[in-house]
Amino acid sequence: MLRRPEDLRCDSLRSPEGIDNPRPVLSWSVDSSDRNVALSRCEIEIYRYLADSRESAVWKSGEVDTDFPSVICPEEILEEHSLYGWRVRWRDEKGVWSDFSDFSTFSTGFLATQWQARWITTSEPEFFRTKGTYILGEYIEGHLHTMGIYLRKEFNTSDQISRATAYVSGVGYYELHINGEKVGDRVLDPAQTAYEKYAMYSTFDVTHYLGKENAVGMILGNGRHIDSYGYGIPEAIFQLRLEYADGRVENLCSDTTWKCSGGPIRENGIYYGETYDATKEIFGWDRPGFDDSGWGTSVPGRGSELRSQSLEPIKVIEELAPIALERQEPGVFIFDFGQNFTGWVRLKVRGPRGSCVRLRFSELLNKDGSINTLPMENAEATDTYVLKGEGTELYEPTFTYHGFRYAEVTGYPGVPTLESITGIVVHSSVEKTGDFFCENELINRVHECVLWGQKSNLMSIPTDCPQRDERHGWLGDAHLAAEESMYNFSMKAFYEKFLDDIAASQRDDGALPDVVPGYYKLYPADPAWGTAYITIAWDLFNFYGDRSFLCRHYTGMKKYVDFLSTLSNNGIIEFGKYGDWCPPGSILPKRTPVALTSTWYYYHDTFLLSKIAGVIGLEGDSLLYLERANQVKQAFNREFLKKDHYAVTKMSPRESLDNALLGQTSNALPLALDMVPEEIGKGLFERLVDYIVRRTDCHVDTGIVGTKYILEVLSEGGRADIAYRMVSQESYPGWGYMINQGATTLWERWEYLTGSSMNSHNHIMLGSVDAWFYKNIGGLAPLEPGWKKIRFSVPLYKNLGFASAGVRTPFGTASISWERFYGYLILCLSVPVSTTALVEIPVKPKGAVLESERSLADRGIKVLEEKEGKILIEIGSGLYSFRSEI
Ligand code: BGC
């Protein structure tokens, strides 16, 4: 029985408003438990919703042959500033059509015309200027931040409005108010970008906020739009499109007639925190009828090109109640949220006017129970609230965020209780689309740490950490965690925007910076960082099956690979800054020569570029880059292959004599890309295993680069058991060690450190392990781009009785759960419509495998292969339940 398609999406999952892509992608998925169902055709209809509630069809696709649940809207169908509804029905391979889906809506923003509104800012910047700030650890004197800037404008509407749409941006951050209410539920909007290249605008339907007399108010915060990054005073732009019932259209636009003033936000900065003086609140400033004669006027801003914000906005996602409250010393109260996270706290307080409550944040406590702010380095991370003295007051900051588990409260009038503050969790509102669970509690906790680490670092860009004075889009961290993030969250729109950020940061010679958006001008990137451009695009293609990223960025990626060639000398790139960053005991690579990682990524990127060229049909380029990649491979082996193993950095005279010291990263990397000459590959793998077992007692000795590959290499080589031992170690160095030391998010370093330097307790870069959990404990991985073909493969580890994993693929949910049960393996699978799966099922010699308690032959399931205690079968979509004797 065919069900209706569900889960309809336009372009991105959660921001289908105001899109500026004239050819958005319309996609859907179908949830069906029937077997062997495949999409063969679909039919899409798009309607334009008109002001007087009429609708008119703008496109009926007719029957389109496709087995992929997504269609690109054809050219020149969409008009700007319009609301559309679309629906789809589809036909399976037997020719049966489903019903049409419900309608899903999206709206267009600026497609052809220019903004009429003007960027504006305050006319009195000096009046607003406040604090200095730190850049790369150095305090830059001067007045670099501004206090919150309040802007306002009133207007009347004479006639009946049928639709009012607000397009708005404000850099660094803005908050929009209409008639006394905050518009929408976005926070820390817009997404961070390199503002000299573009800023993002948000779109809100504000019809219901308006009356006859209206006031628009905006508050601006610094965010990253500060002098130290070459910007300056915050700026805003606002255009309100009013559509009247009689068909007239009017635009209300920001211009220099807008008034501006300071207000209660006295200081604000991402690192600094916020100072809010409630005695300076301006009653009615965002309502009509307010006397703003004492306010200043605004002046034109420098402005940025505008693009519609298509990624999921940052929002308040959940609230956390503190689990403990201690009085550390008189007047100093420490709240523990039991979880390291990103956001802020809501303060609830009563007290005399002018009293001042100070909130400070930390990831760790000192031995005496006070907060340890050393790992914050130069981020003051302090919120201060001055009471107005009017009953119970609630305060949350507007333009800052912190990474913390503990909050210190001082200056509280009286004694606070557990209800006095609430944790507010804030991040890009990507949807959770993956699930993983297994019998090993330690591994489940590592997985939870990865989820929290990921949520803490999705702040419209993938940041390295949320607490100290960095929080930047370091490319190394970003690409190493990318695959894992796609298993766990809906990352397509997020990374689509980040790829644009990377492209925008590319220099004419092809070089990329280490940090994107390029607030720090760190050119050229370490090749292990710059690879993010190619690696993330490739991961996106594999996960979501969408070639458009590859097409759009092909020229840029090619320029980058060509730039790498200019860094190389006879195929070797000596240049590098971080390499296999943060191995045990160090920040800098210890065992792995930086030239080895740089050259390996040169090969990796050249090789992937050749594959990408192939995917988008550029055969000539594909061959050319494959040839180049082969030359780099030969150079790599000439330089680093020492008879039967790859070189490590010599550590000490004793070690340098010891041939057995292979170094996990140096050897795992070439194995991962099949670069090792065939005649020594097997031996090298065995020596690597021996080294891991005997020399490191099944612990990692990798930095962030090697960590992503060592586990995969072991699993691919048939020694997943060793990888499993490594990930379940409880002693140093390893993830379990972090857990045993109380980690609730993964750390930057393998060591438990409490000092001030490079010691974040919430970094995501070692979280690459989570993709390994999905693939090698759950047993779920894509075999073809977009999960068109899926591999389910049940691993049998000693002492692991069950696991389950699920992922939302472009076709629907793919999931696996398996359990060992008194000599049997029970295996349940869900294979999405239009996909097929290769399934490896362990079975003892001559043992039986049944599906829904009938033989495979009875079920029409063909065994493709039978070997070494497992069978290999291929199945189509549907729900399956296998039982196998093991
Ligand atoms: C960041 C890292 C980053 C690194 C590059 C650090 O300060 O926190 O995660 O990749 O610098 O060296």
Side-chain angles (χ1 to χ4, degrees), residues 796 823 841-849 866-871 884-886:
L796 291 185
I841 308 177
V843 58
K844 70 181 185 190
K846 303 217 168 71
V849 180
E866 216 171 335
K867 63 162 193 198
E868 292 162 17
K870 43 180 132 160
I871 60 163
S884 126
E885 289 179 278
I886 51 171

Side-chain angles (χ1 to χ4, degrees), residues 124-262:
E124 298 169 275
E126 293 314 316
F127 173 72
F128 291 103
R129 285 176 186 270
T130 56
K131 282 268 165 184
T133 197
Y134 288 87
I135 293 291
L136 287 173
E138 202 184 315
Y139 191 75
I140 313 285
E141 282 293 344
H143 302 286
L144 295 158
H145 286 165
T146 63
M147 58 172 76
I149 299 172
Y150 291 70
L151 297 163
R152 73 182 307 277
K153 176 79 185 177
E154 292 195 21
F155 64 100
N156 294 338
T157 54
S158 42
D159 298 311
Q160 174 81 37
I161 290 171
S162 57
R163 186 167 164 237
T165 312
Y167 301 104
V168 60
S169 186
V171 289
Y173 295 133
Y174 74 89
E175 195 173 275
L176 173 66
H177 291 224
I178 295 183
N179 294 339
E181 265 185 84
K182 177 183 161 170
V183 173
D185 58 355
R186 300 176 175 203
V187 296
L188 302 177
D189 208 47
Q192 295 180 49
T193 52
Y195 306 115
E196 72 282 11
K197 297 287 172 49
Y198 54 88
M200 308 218 106
Y201 71 85
S202 296
T203 305
F204 299 100
D205 180 343
V206 294
T207 318
H208 301 295
Y209 289 80
L210 297 180
K212 278 209 158 20
E213 294 176 346
N214 302 288
V216 184
M218 286 182 75
I219 317 173
L220 301 181
N222 293 295
R224 298 273 179 206
H225 197 268
I226 50 178
D227 289 359
S228 1
Y229 302 131
Y231 303 116
I233 306 297
E235 306 185 347
I237 190 163
F238 174 85
Q239 185 160 334
L240 178 65
R241 182 182 157 92
L242 299 168
E243 292 169 32
Y244 290 99
D246 61 9
R248 269 179 312 126
V249 171
E250 200 184 345
N251 282 297
L252 180 98
C253 298
S254 52
D255 59 23
T256 49
T257 64
W258 285 44
K259 292 296 200 73
C260 66
S261 165

Side-chain angles (χ1 to χ4, degrees), residues 464-465 468 470 474 476-477 529 578 581 748 758 763 765:
D464 57 336
C465 57
R468 69 174 180 231
E470 293 214 44
W474 285 96
D477 313 44
W529 268 235
Y578 323 114
W581 184 245
E748 176 174 27
M758 304 300 282
H763 252 60
M765 55 203 194

Side-chain angles (χ1 to χ4, degrees), residues 9-13 15-28 44 46 58-59 69-80 82-86 104-111 308 310 492 496 546 548 552:
R9 298 161 227 149
C10 170
D11 240 357
S12 84
L13 295 182
S15 284
E17 300 97 19
I19 58 175
D20 58 1
N21 175 3
R23 303 196 61 203
V25 178
L26 306 171
S27 57
W28 64 95
I44 308 251
I46 303 184
V58 292
W59 185 51
S70 109
V71 162
I72 302 180
C73 186
E75 197 90 53
E76 281 159 18
I77 283 181
L78 303 180
E79 285 184 36
E80 60 182 355
S82 305
L83 183 64
Y84 292 93
W86 70 281
S104 171
T105 58
F106 66 92
S107 68
T108 48
F110 292 83
L111 290 181
S308 178
S310 57
K492 194 171 163 196
E496 182 172 9
D546 187 344
S548 66
R552 188 158 74 245

